[in-house]
Amino acid sequence: MSFIETDERKELRAAVAALGKKYGAEYFQKCAKQDLKTTELWKEAGDLGFIGVNLPEEYGGGGAGMYELSIVMEELAASGTGLLMLVVSPAICGNVIARFGTEEQKKKWLPGLASGEITMAFGITEPDAGSNSHQITTTGRRDGDEWILSGQKVFISGVDQADAVLIVGRTEEAKTGKLAPALFIVPTDAEGFTFTQIPMELQNPEKQFQLFLDDVRLPADALVGDPEAALSQLFAGLNPERIMGAASAIGMGRYALDKAVAYAKDRTVWKTPIGAHQGIAHPLAAGKVELEMAKLMMQKAATLYDAGDDWGAAEPANMAKYAAAEASTKLVDQAVHTLGGNGLTSEYGLAPMLALVRIAKVAPVSREMVLNFVAQNTLGLPKSY
C-alpha cells in the first residue's frame, strides 16, 4: 500500500485546485450570504469530470475511486469553495447505487450523478434517532408491488437542490417479522414528501432541512439492493462519508493555514515579521503537522475502501475524520488569532470558517462516537451504550 500519489492523481489535484482558485472563497461566501447556490461551480466541476470521478466508467463516471474524490473535495475546500453535496451525492449515494443497485437503478441514476446533472441527498438522521441508527422509525411497508414510506428526517443537506433523497428506513423481515434497515430512493417531487428549512447560524450555500414522509408511495424498484443486507450496504456508504468529511476539514485547515502564513510573513511589528516569533510560528507549524497526519489516515482509508475492504476501511475512515476535525478546528482558530482583529473582518474571509469548520466535530459522526468505535472495535473495551 503506497500513499505516494501517481502522476494522474497529481494532475487531478492541480486541475481541481485551478478550478477552486477560479471561483474562490469570495464566490462561495457571496452565494452563502445572498442565499444563492454554487450552480456555476457545480456545473463546471461536473463538466470536467470531477464530481463523478469515483463512479464506474460504464455509467459515465471517471472509473477511479474514493482516493480521487477525496482529492476533489480537499482541493475545493482548500480554495474556500468546499461543496458539501460532494460528500452526499457522488460519495454516499453514488457509491451505494454503484455497488448495490440493480442494473436499471444504475442506468437511471449514475450517469446524472456522475455529470452533476442529478443531485441526490441522503437521509438518515431522525429527531429521536441521531447517532443511533438502529432506532430509526421511518418505515416502508409493502402494498402489492409498491412501497409506502412514512417517517421524518432532520438535518438533511441540500434537499432543495436535490432530485431525490436516498432514505434510510426500515422494513419488516419476511422470516422474523422484525424491522430491518432498508434504503429507498425517494424523488423530491413525490406526493406526500415535504421539507422545511432549518434556520442555521452558518454561512453556507447548502442548507439543512427537516423531511416529512407522509405515506409516500414508491415503485418496487425504489428499494436499493437486498433488503436482507441493507445494514452492510448502509455502512458501505458511511465510510465514504467519513473520508469526505475528513477531506473537507483538511481542505478548510489548509485554507486557514495559507491565510495565516501569508499574513505572518507580511505583518511587521517592531521591525520584525510576526511569523519570526515562535508564539506565532509554532502553533501554525504544529497545525501543519497535525493536518498532514490526518491526511495520511484519510489516504489509508480511501485506499482500503477502493480495494474493497469495507471493514478494514472503517477504522482509518473514522480516525481520519476525528483527526481532521480536531486539527482543522484548532488551526482555523489559530489562523484567526494570528491575524488578530483582521481575523474577524470580512476582508480576510476567516471569520465565517469558525462556525463552518466546527461542524466537522459533530457531523457526519460526532467525535465521541468515533472514540466509542475505536474503544470498542480497536481496543476491545466493553460497549458503553
Side-chain angles (χ1 to χ4, degrees), residues 277-289:
H277 302 305
Q278 292 176 353
I280 296 293
H282 282 188
L284 297 179
K288 173 64 174 176
V289 171

Side-chain angles (χ1 to χ4, degrees), residues 114-144:
S115 68
E117 294 176 279
I118 291 176
T119 305
M120 190 176 291
F122 178 65
I124 182 170
T125 305
E126 295 186 358
D128 297 318
S131 298
N132 188 358
S133 58
H134 296 282
Q135 294 300 314
I136 285 172
T137 59
T138 297
T139 305
R141 66 182 190 276
R142 288 190 180 276
D143 184 26

Side-chain angles (χ1 to χ4, degrees), residues 15-96:
V16 178
L19 177 64
K21 184 178 180 181
K22 175 182 175 180
Y23 285 88
E26 289 185 6
Y27 165 81
F28 185 87
Q29 291 173 13
K30 176 184 175 182
C31 290
K33 290 176 181 178
Q34 298 183 9
D35 201 21
L36 303 172
K37 302 302 178 188
T38 53
T39 306
E40 300 87 355
L41 174 56
W42 183 265
K43 183 180 186 306
E44 189 163 353
D47 291 343
L48 291 170
F50 297 156
I51 290 177
V53 69
N54 63 306
L55 298 177
E57 286 185 281
E58 58 265 39
Y59 302 103
M66 280 307 303
Y67 195 116
E68 287 74 14
L69 190 60
S70 70
I71 287 175
V72 175
M73 182 79 252
E74 180 191 341
E75 290 303 322
L76 288 178
S79 301
T81 58
L83 297 173
L84 176 58
M85 293 309 288
L86 279 176
V87 180
V88 181
S89 196
I92 302 175
C93 302
N95 272 315
V96 168

Side-chain angles (χ1 to χ4, degrees), residues 179-254:
L179 291 178
L183 305 175
F184 295 91
I185 299 175
V186 181
T188 51
D189 61 357
E191 186 176 352
F193 179 91
T194 57
F195 54 89
T196 58
Q197 185 174 329
I198 302 170
M200 303 287 289
E201 294 295 329
L202 297 171
Q203 289 187 11
N204 195 345
E206 293 150 323
K207 310 303 181 183
Q208 300 296 309
F209 296 88
Q210 184 163 2
L211 313 186
F212 304 91
L213 299 103
D214 186 12
D215 288 342
V216 177
R217 187 172 291 273
L218 301 169
D221 64 0
L223 181 70
V224 178
D226 183 355
E228 302 296 325
L231 191 59
S232 62
Q233 294 169 184
L234 171 61
F235 286 118
L238 295 184
N239 280 338
E241 181 185 46
R242 283 144 176 72
I243 293 169
M244 292 293 279
S248 175
I250 290 166
M252 286 189 282
R254 283 177 50 196

